């Protein structure tokens, strides 16, 4: 039995899906949505808030403010409610309505930026708004997930050790790149403890993180409109770029096996499956699902949204999907070894 008295006290770090039955490739998908915030962002949110409290920057009466496309905002809304802080989430027009409603339900104030800044687009406009807020009132505390080292430290301290505990023979880890907190925390830990593991970053087309041109991006979570301050490419073995339309197809394919995941999971799984298909090696490969699919029910899983933004992307049975092979239901990853 697990008993908690604060929502941030619970997180499951040991649920994996064996994707062989969906994609016919040995790839384990670590599910990070099993907590009250519903995403991997619980970890950096907790780490950043607790560090700010330790340093004395965050104290009773402080108002938390942060820029988020959704998941960090939800996690901070939850933690702020739990600890009794006010929280203002600054987001933009790409944030799902469902996510904004979740934040509001948790008591957060949501500010949506709609006009891109000349420098830095919508993200630039969000940051400008936060800087103005903090300059006008010193009760505001901006955690700044884009530059805060406690973002990557959260994954250095928990995500990477949890993966290595279950997969001591890990060969390759695929990680989606947003702020690159997950990527850099895992990469730093693995470089120190298990330097043979290949680290492959997966980004979305239209993101400028790895020096490519900016383009339209509709799926929140992955990709950036500026170079991520936390990113250090010297830790990476490879970088994969995935089109959003392909990520959406992968989401639908997973959904037709009963696994409903968010758009960024579709992106990393698409990249990982391609990378593995190009290699004729038996590898122990893991990737990370930052959240589940309910938050994308009005976008990635909505035919009207798809018709508007990705004409040709169809909900419905994937044409190449074969009936699922009859198999014993695996319950314990250790039983697979
Ligand atoms: C759904 C989703 N996927 C991926 C990421 C990227 O994680 P990171 O910021 O650690 O690079 C995020 C971060 O907000 C996210 O919300």
């Amino acid at each position: 039995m697990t008993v908690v008295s604060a929502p941030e006290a619970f997180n499951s770090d040991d649920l994996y899906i064996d994707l062989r039955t969906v994609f016919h490739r040995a790839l384990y998908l670590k599910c990070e949505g099993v907590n009250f915030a519903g995403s991997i962002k619980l970890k950096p949110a907790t780490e950043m808030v607790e560090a700010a409290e330790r340093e004395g920057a965050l104290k009773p009466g402080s108002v938390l403010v942060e820029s988020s496309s959704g998941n960090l905002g939800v996690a901070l809304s939850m933690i702020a409610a739990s600890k009794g802080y006010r929280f203002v989430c600054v987001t933009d027009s790409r944030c799902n309505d469902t996510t904004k409603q979740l934040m509001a339900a948790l008591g957060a104030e949501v500010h949506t930026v709609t006009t891109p800044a000349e420098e830095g687009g919508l993200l630039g406009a969000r940051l400008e708004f936060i800087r103005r807020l903090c300059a006008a009132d010193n009760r505001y505390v901006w955690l700044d997930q884009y530059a805060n080292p406690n973002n990557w430290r959260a994954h250095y301290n928990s995500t990477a050790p949890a993966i290595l505990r279950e997969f001591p023979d890990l060969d390759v880890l695929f990680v989606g790149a947003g702020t690159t907190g997950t990527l850099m925390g895992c990469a730093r830990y693995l470089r120190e403890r298990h330097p043979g593991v290949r680290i492959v970053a997966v980004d979305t087309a239209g993101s400028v993180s790895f020096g490519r041109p900016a383009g339209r991006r509709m799926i929140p979570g992955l990709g950036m409109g500026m170079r991520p301050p936390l990113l250090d490419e010297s830790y990476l073995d490879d970088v994969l770029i995935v089109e959003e339309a392909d990520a959406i197809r992968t989401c639908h394919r997973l959904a037709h096996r009963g696994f409903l995941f968010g758009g960024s999971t579709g992106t990393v799984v698409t990249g990982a499956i391609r990378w593995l298909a190009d290699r004729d090696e038996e590898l122990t490969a893991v990737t990370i699902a930052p959240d589940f699919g309910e938050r994308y029910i009005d976008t990635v899983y909505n035919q009207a949204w798809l018709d508007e933004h990705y004409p040709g992307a169809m909900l419905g049975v994937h044409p190449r999907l074969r009936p699922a092979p009859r198999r014993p239901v695996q319950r314990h990853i250790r039983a697979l070894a």
Side-chain angles (χ1 to χ4, degrees), residues 16 23 46 66 76 86 103 110 112 115 144 156 174 209 241 245 250 281 284 309 314:
Y16 293 82
F23 297 104
T46 309
E66 184 57 299
L76 285 174
R86 249 182 79 200
M103 293 193 264
V110 182
T112 307
T115 314
D144 192 4
Y156 180 98
F174 300 91
S209 298
I241 307 294
T250 297
E281 298 170 73
T284 301
H309 300 290
M314 294 290 291

Side-chain angles (χ1 to χ4, degrees), residues 61-75:
S62 296
V63 184
L64 276 168
V65 59
E66 184 57 299
S67 156
S68 166
S69 62
N71 280 336
L72 182 75
V74 173

Side-chain angles (χ1 to χ4, degrees), residues 41 69 71 145 151 155 176-182 220-222 264 290-291 296:
K41 285 290 179 177
S69 62
N71 280 336
Q145 61 162 331
N151 178 354
H155 302 287
T179 64
T180 72
T182 314
L222 289 192
S264 70
D291 60 6
Y296 307 86

Side-chain angles (χ1 to χ4, degrees), residues 264-281:
S264 70
T265 300
T267 308
V268 285
V269 169
T270 305
I273 295 290
R274 275 192 202 145
W275 191 93
L276 292 167
D278 286 345
R279 280 155 188 85
D280 207 10
E281 298 170 73

Side-chain angles (χ1 to χ4, degrees), residues 89-155:
C89 184
V90 184
T91 188
D92 63 51
S93 30
R94 280 177 305 208
C95 184
N96 300 329
D97 281 345
T98 323
T99 306
K100 288 195 229 175
Q101 284 163 15
L102 274 175
M103 293 193 264
L106 287 161
E109 296 150 54
V110 182
H111 180 86
T112 307
V113 164
T114 50
T115 314
E118 264 177 35
E119 187 93 337
L122 285 168
L123 178 58
R126 289 200 229 164
L127 302 185
E128 257 175 35
F129 180 85
I130 292 178
R131 286 194 189 101
R132 275 204 306 275
L133 216 53
C134 293
D137 186 337
N138 64 9
R139 287 174 307 155
Y140 283 98
V141 176
W142 178 24
L143 297 172
D144 192 4
Q145 61 162 331
Y146 305 107
N148 190 328
N150 296 303
N151 178 354
W152 67 257
R153 275 188 200 123
H155 302 287

Side-chain angles (χ1 to χ4, degrees), residues 217-255:
R217 290 179 292 117
M218 301 303 297
I219 299 175
L222 289 192
M224 289 264 276
M226 63 179 192
R227 192 183 155 80
L230 297 179
L231 176 62
D232 179 346
E233 286 185 61
S234 69
Y235 284 85
L236 310 182
D237 294 280
D238 220 340
V239 177
L240 311 175
I241 307 294
V242 172
E243 296 288 337
E244 284 192 336
D246 294 335
I248 289 169
R249 255 176 243 122
T250 297
C251 285
H252 295 176
R253 211 165 154 187
L254 283 161

